[in-house]
Amino acid sequence: MARKKRTKTVDKWKSKNWYRLVAPEDFENKELGEVPTADPKKLLNKIVKVSMLDIGGRPNASSINTKLKFRVVDVKGTTAFTRFVGHEVAQSYIKTMARRRRSVVDHVVDVTTKDGNKVRLKVVIITVNRITSPKKTILRNLFKDTVIEMTQKMTLSELMQNILFGKFTVQIYNKTKKIVPIKRVEIHKTEVKGTAVKIEKQ
């Protein structure tokens, strides 16, 4: 009877190294976590989601329910460098504010910042009382015009700082409340375009 050949098992974990994920300078190069991989090239374009609270946001309902998204754009040694590519507020948090007898006005606007970055903004405006369709249209148009005017004067860094810390929505709120009573303005999602890294084939 022929003897069976013994197959040597390879521990895949032993072939992997741990890489430290680092936020960009705008976020003080804070550590976002660590990931294991045997091939650092596989980290490029990886999206990392981090709670705003974990990266220095104030401990409140907004920061707890806000995720920041970073894309790995470079790897040097055992450090993976990232670029900010957007944020997202939990839908469950938005729904808690959109109660009965209120209108929810959604809108999407594509803008270009002062330094040439293209960003998609998704906003929700929650009114105190129900409003008519014509007034919803007026709110959307006012929001679009206001956002485009504001972003043209800001770099991407300035825009995101203003959005994440509420200054941007305060200015929108002050304008829209002149039309109808407003309960809340929330830019619940941003997407920075054109941040993917091309990986050359070997």
Side-chain angles (χ1 to χ4, degrees), residues 50-141:
V50 182
S51 168
M52 186 175 168
L53 183 63
D54 293 337
I55 206 167
R58 295 178 180 178
N60 53 38
S62 181
S63 62
I64 292 171
N65 289 281
T66 299
K67 292 283 187 182
L68 307 183
K69 295 195 289 185
F70 300 88
R71 186 190 298 275
V72 177
V73 294
D74 193 15
V75 180
K76 292 181 179 178
T78 56
T79 302
F81 297 92
T82 65
R83 182 180 178 184
F84 178 79
V85 294
H87 88 292
E88 189 169 4
V89 179
Q91 284 296 318
S92 56
Y93 177 59
I94 301 295
K95 287 180 180 179
T96 59
M97 295 179 283
R99 298 173 182 173
R100 291 182 180 180
R101 302 185 187 88
R102 292 177 182 169
S103 287
V104 178
V105 183
D106 292 299
H107 199 40
V108 178
V109 181
D110 292 323
V111 298
T112 302
T113 60
K114 184 180 177 180
D115 51 353
N117 286 284
K118 297 184 182 301
V119 187
R120 172 163 289 180
L121 306 180
K122 297 185 178 182
V123 67
V124 59
I125 300 172
I126 301 170
T127 61
V128 174
N129 304 304
R130 288 191 181 279
I131 61 173
T132 62
S133 294
K135 283 192 176 181
K136 288 182 180 180
T137 300
I138 293 172
L139 281 179
R140 289 190 179 100
N141 290 336

Side-chain angles (χ1 to χ4, degrees), residues 15 29 37 40 81 90 100 104 108-109 117 150 155 170 187 189:
S15 64
N29 300 117
T37 184
F81 297 92
R100 291 182 180 180
V104 178
V108 178
V109 181
N117 286 284
M150 290 168 62
T155 63
V170 167
I187 296 178
K189 190 173 185 178

